[in-house]
Every structure is written in C-alpha cells, then in structure tokens.
Amino acid sequence: MASTGNGKSKRDTYRHGDLRNALIEAGLELARQGGPEAVVLRAATRQAGVVPNAAYRHFADRGALLHAVSQAAMAHVAHTMEAEQAALPPAEDPAAGARARFRAVGTGYLRFAQEEPGLFRTAFHVPGDMTHAAADTAAGPGGKTPFELLGTALDGLVENGLLPEDRRPGAEFLAWSAVHGLAVLLIDGPLRGLHPTQAHDAGQHVIDMIERGI
Amino acid sequence: MASTGNGKSKRDTYRHGDLRNALIEAGLELARQGGPEAVVLRAATRQAGVVPNAAYRHFADRGALLHAVSQAAMAHVAHTMEAEQAALPPAEDPAAGARARFRAVGTGYLRFAQEEPGLFRTAFHVPGDMTHAAADTAAGPGGKTPFELLGTALDGLVENGLLPEDRRPGAEFLAWSAVHGLAVLLIDGPLRGLHPTQAHDAGQHVIDMIERGI
DNA sequence: CTCGAATGTGGACATCGTACACAAGGGGTG
DNA sequence: CACCCCTTGTGTACGATGTCCACATTCGAG
C-alpha cells in the first residue's frame, strides 16, 4: 500500500515510503472539511497510519505542515482557474478572447471559493506570501500560481488595447482585492448561503465593476 | 477593584462584579496582539483573576466568548470609520461632502486594518453575520455598524446625484468587496509590510476604482 | 432571617503540540 | 557480501487547552 490513499490498514513496511505527501494529502482532506484550523497534526498522522511524532521528520512543526497544505490548496485554486479558461468557447476575435480569459480568472477563483470553502480558506490563511508563493508548489497544472494567472490575463488586456498601458501597473491588486473580497463575503460574510446562481451574478457584477474601474 | 481593568491582584470579593465584560476586555487585548486564535479562554480568565470555569457562567463556550470579542472589535472598526468622517474638513458643497464621507468610510476601514490587524482579523473572523450583526454590540459611538455606515454613505451619493439610483442596490457589496479585499492583501497578503504612505495610496486607488466602477 | 438562584472554585479528563531517547532498516563503503 | 551509519518511525512524557461535574460562596427576594 503506502501508495494507495486509504488510511485504514496499518502499513506492512516499517518505512512508510511517502509520508510527507501522505500527510499533505490527509491535511488537504481535513482542510476541505474544516478549514485551516482543522488540519491537526495528530489527525493527519493517524490517517497516514503513523505515530504523531513521525511528522516531525518531514515538517518542523504543525505550522510547516499547514503551510504545505496551504500551498497545495493554492495549486487547486490555480487548477480551477485554468479549467475555467480552458472551458471557454473559441473567441470571435483576439480582443474578445483576452477579455473572456480575464473574466474567467475571476470566475474560476470565485467558483473555487464556493465549491471548496475549506480549501479556499486554507489556501489564503496568512500565506507566507502569495505572490512568489513558491511558484512550484502553489502552481496549477499550467505551472502558474493564481496571481500569475491574473497577471497574464491583465497583460492580455493591455496587448489588445482593452486596458491603457499606464493603468496596468498595480492592476492585479485592484482586481484581486475586489474578487477576493467578494469571495470572503460569499463564504463567511453576509452573502453566505446565497443561491449559486445569485452568487454567480454577484461575481459578474464585481467583475463588471473591475473592468469599468480598473 | 473589579472595576479597575488591571488583572494582577486577586479579587478581594468572592464575586467579580463584572466578569463578562472583564473577559471581553481581556479577549480584546489578546486579539489585538495575536488575532482570533489568540483569544484563549484560560488566558482571559487568568487575566480577570478568576478560575477557567468561571467563564462558563457567562459564555456557552470559547466560541461564544470569541464571538463577543469579535462584536466588540467590530464596534472599534465602526468607531475608526466615524472618526475618519468626523475629521473631514467642512465641504464646499453638499455633493463634495457626500463624496468625501463615502471615501472616508473606506479610508477609515483601511486605516483600522493596518493599525490594528489583530482586532481587524478578529472582527471579521467568520462573524455569524456582519450585516445585522447585532446592531447594538457591533456598533460604534454613532450607533451604526460598519456596514450601516457604508450604506448611509452610498445613500448620500445617490441623494447628490453622484450615483445613479439604479446602481444603488447591492452597491455596498461591490464597495465592501474591494476595500475588504485590499485590507486582507495589506495585512497578510503580498502587500503586507507596505510603507503606510504607499498603503494609503493603494487604498485611494481602490476607492478610485470603486467610484469609477460602481 | 432564610433559602434558592446566581456565580465562582476544585478536580478531572481527553486532545493537542512537541521534546527526548530509542529502534528499525536501507544504502553506501569497505 | 558484510558492516556501519544516517534517515525515518516508535514510545513515553509534559504542559497547555477546552470542557464536564460536583461543590462552595454569596446576593437578594420573600
């Protein structure tokens, strides 16, 4: 076993073989259900069929484990964003395509926040840094972090004349602020429990505001 | 004593007299320094000079205490926002005044986030609901919650023709999203540690975007 | 004055993070 | 192929936390 994800049967080998990843995987599951505070060191080791202290061979402390889980969650965010872009119908012209890809960045971000609130909260739980955010561990299949995806989409807007070049600097912070703020409102603010379609509309409104105000 | 806020000397009376508020006060101090997860029941009771279990006469559990502290922190946010508005120079004309008061809402909010990040995080820590948010416990000296302050400011914009009436519905969520998102970026996102003046500029940019895009 | 409801105390327990010493065993060197 | 050592997992232990239960103290209504 060791490779199979189940955590029930006790390991047959003394060595686990892939404990570090098993712990991150277990942590992800805990985070999915209960957010960052639910990723408990002892629970993760239990799930991996290992004694609590074994974790310390791979992580300095609970915080380090949580950070690794957070990075993995961030990668999931990136994945959802890329998927949203990939699902886009072929664009009529380059400009329309750039605009659609930009909006998909926000839409994917918001979709993830609603579908996986626990992971979302974990991904952005006082993340050491989400810009450089160890680009490899926090990246999606395309190799880009959520932030980088946003930057690329903004560059696309500029290239197609949809965003004046002098407004480009710092634009990611404006866009990110608005979308992330809405995400928070949706998952544990006053907009929590909004019907998915209404939430989607709210998301489009915010993205409209960004396009207008950026 | 009981009335004095110090927590050093042991109470002389068997009854504390105002334990509930003493615990909230202690919780606020803990939250100020370490955010929501730092508001620890035992620490608060210790500070109040009382045995841990005494807290259960006033709060159902740690969560209830944290919620009360959160509400108190929210009141502090409202206070800062009101102060920001009060400090405004007299306006030239009503419209300019309405606009300045609207911007002050955002500026005050962002100021508080930077000056008291621990309290800020605590105020918005999965708050049962921040809209109705028990208007009395979360309100500032003016009797309004942060959300209500924002709504009032938006109404002011409409009254002065600065915001089309058909754009008013839901506008608080657009504005709140953007400002709150920036606040998060500033206190534990990639904009953390930004020089206060730069942070202020970023805030003005976001508010500009809101005014343009709302 | 008396007695009950409100408030604080004491002791106990499960769980958590983590430190320290020890065991197992896989891989490089001879 | 044998040996030794470094990595990885185990066992035991400690302090801290949230919370439960039974008991003590005191205030205030009658």
Side-chain angles (χ1 to χ4, degrees), chain A residues 45 166 184 196:
Chain A
T45 57
D166 61 312
V184 173

Side-chain angles (χ1 to χ4, degrees), chain B residues 88-104 152-163 211:
Chain B
L88 247 32
E92 329 239 309
D93 60 297
R99 177 154 180 259
R101 272 193 303 281
F102 171 71
R103 296 185 68 98
T152 303
L154 284 165
D155 289 342
L157 291 184
V158 173
E159 287 163 16
N160 289 90
L162 295 174
L163 177 66
E211 286 195 326

Side-chain angles (χ1 to χ4, degrees), chain B residues 92-182:
Chain B
E92 329 239 309
D93 60 297
R99 177 154 180 259
R101 272 193 303 281
F102 171 71
R103 296 185 68 98
V105 164
T107 308
Y109 191 89
L110 290 169
R111 173 195 303 291
F112 185 85
Q114 290 187 266
E115 289 178 352
E116 294 287 7
L119 288 183
F120 181 86
R121 271 198 290 263
T122 305
F124 296 106
H125 176 246
V126 190
D129 271 282
M130 57 192 43
T131 30
H132 3 38
D136 46 336
T137 60
K144 283 186 174 148
T145 67
F147 236 81
E148 294 169 346
L149 286 169
L150 172 57
T152 303
L154 284 165
D155 289 342
L157 291 184
V158 173
E159 287 163 16
N160 289 90
L162 295 174
L163 177 66
E165 202 157 342
D166 60 314
R167 283 204 182 283
R168 174 64 184 79
E172 38 259 279
F173 299 120
L174 296 182
W176 196 89
S177 288
V179 172
H180 184 76
L182 178 62

Side-chain angles (χ1 to χ4, degrees), chain A:
Chain A
M1 25 146 317
S3 58
T4 64
N6 77 10
K8 325 208 73 169
S9 60
K10 290 192 177 354
R11 192 166 11 106
D12 47 354
T13 57
Y14 182 82
R15 302 298 237 254
H16 178 285
D18 194 24
L19 221 201
R20 183 188 164 89
N21 284 99
L23 290 176
I24 294 181
E25 214 60 38
L28 275 174
E29 186 52 34
L30 294 169
R32 168 175 286 115
Q33 307 185 293
E37 53 271 17
V39 35
V40 162
L41 194 150
R42 290 178 102 109
T45 57
R46 220 174 288 141
Q47 161 85 9
V50 108
V51 98
N53 283 343
Y56 288 88
R57 298 298 173 187
H58 303 272
F59 301 98
D61 55 10
R62 181 196 115 104
L65 168 60
L66 180 53
H67 183 258
V69 173
S70 166
Q71 293 288 98
M74 187 99 68
H76 285 206
V77 177
H79 173 81
T80 300
M81 291 167 66
E82 292 181 5
E84 192 81 19
Q85 286 187 321
L88 247 31
E92 330 240 310
D93 61 295
R99 177 154 180 259
R101 273 193 302 281
F102 171 71
R103 295 185 68 98
V105 163
T107 308
Y109 191 91
L110 289 169
R111 174 196 302 291
F112 185 85
Q114 289 188 266
E115 289 178 353
E116 295 287 7
L119 289 184
F120 182 85
R121 271 199 289 262
T122 304
F124 297 105
H125 176 246
V126 190
D129 272 279
M130 57 192 43
T131 31
H132 5 38
D136 47 336
T137 60
K144 283 184 175 150
T145 67
F147 236 82
E148 293 168 347
L149 286 169
L150 171 57
T152 303
L154 283 166
D155 289 341
L157 290 185
V158 173
E159 286 164 16
N160 290 89
L162 295 174
L163 177 65
E165 203 157 341
D166 61 312
R167 282 203 181 282
R168 174 64 184 81
E172 39 259 277
F173 299 120
L174 296 182
W176 196 90
S177 288
V179 171
H180 184 77
L182 177 62
V184 173
L185 278 180
L186 285 172
I187 59 184
D188 43 40
L191 264 39
R192 174 183 24 182
L194 215 59
H195 189 66
T197 66
Q198 293 177 300
H200 181 264
D201 288 352
Q204 296 305 307
H205 282 5
V206 165
I207 299 179
D208 289 344
M209 171 184 78
I210 296 170
E211 286 194 326
R212 242 178 282 136
I214 214 175

Side-chain angles (χ1 to χ4, degrees), chain B residues 3 12 15 41 85 121 141 153 199 213:
Chain B
S3 58
D12 47 353
R15 300 291 231 256
L41 195 150
Q85 287 188 322
R121 271 198 290 263

Side-chain angles (χ1 to χ4, degrees), chain B residues 10-214:
Chain B
K10 290 195 176 352
R11 192 167 11 105
D12 47 353
T13 58
Y14 182 83
R15 300 291 231 256
H16 179 285
D18 193 24
L19 220 202
R20 185 188 163 87
N21 283 100
L23 289 176
I24 294 181
E25 214 59 39
L28 276 174
E29 186 51 34
L30 292 170
R32 185 190 321 278
Q33 308 185 298
E37 55 272 16
V39 35
V40 162
L41 195 150
R42 291 179 103 108
T45 58
R46 220 173 289 143
Q47 162 85 9
V50 109
V51 97
N53 283 341
Y56 287 87
R57 299 299 171 187
H58 303 272
F59 300 97
D61 54 11
R62 180 196 114 104
L65 168 59
L66 180 52
H67 183 257
V69 172
S70 166
Q71 292 288 100
M74 187 99 68
H76 285 207
V77 177
H79 173 82
T80 299
M81 290 167 66
E82 292 182 5
E84 192 80 19
Q85 287 188 322
L88 247 32
E92 329 239 309
D93 60 297
R99 177 154 180 259
R101 272 193 303 281
F102 171 71
R103 296 185 68 98
V105 164
T107 308
Y109 191 89
L110 290 169
R111 173 195 303 291
F112 185 85
Q114 290 187 266
E115 289 178 352
E116 294 287 7
L119 288 183
F120 181 86
R121 271 198 290 263
T122 305
F124 296 106
H125 176 246
V126 190
D129 271 282
M130 57 192 43
T131 30
H132 3 38
D136 46 336
T137 60
K144 283 186 174 148
T145 67
F147 236 81
E148 294 169 346
L149 286 169
L150 172 57
T152 303
L154 284 165
D155 289 342
L157 291 184
V158 173
E159 287 163 16
N160 289 90
L162 295 174
L163 177 66
E165 202 157 342
D166 60 314
R167 283 204 182 283
R168 174 64 184 79
E172 38 259 279
F173 299 120
L174 296 182
W176 196 89
S177 288
V179 172
H180 184 76
L182 178 62
V184 174
L185 279 179
L186 285 172
I187 59 184
D188 43 39
L191 266 40
R192 174 183 22 180
L194 216 59
H195 189 67
T197 66
Q198 292 177 301
H200 182 264
D201 288 351
Q204 296 306 305
H205 282 5
V206 165
I207 299 177
D208 289 344
M209 170 184 79
I210 296 170
E211 286 195 326
R212 242 176 286 144
I214 214 173

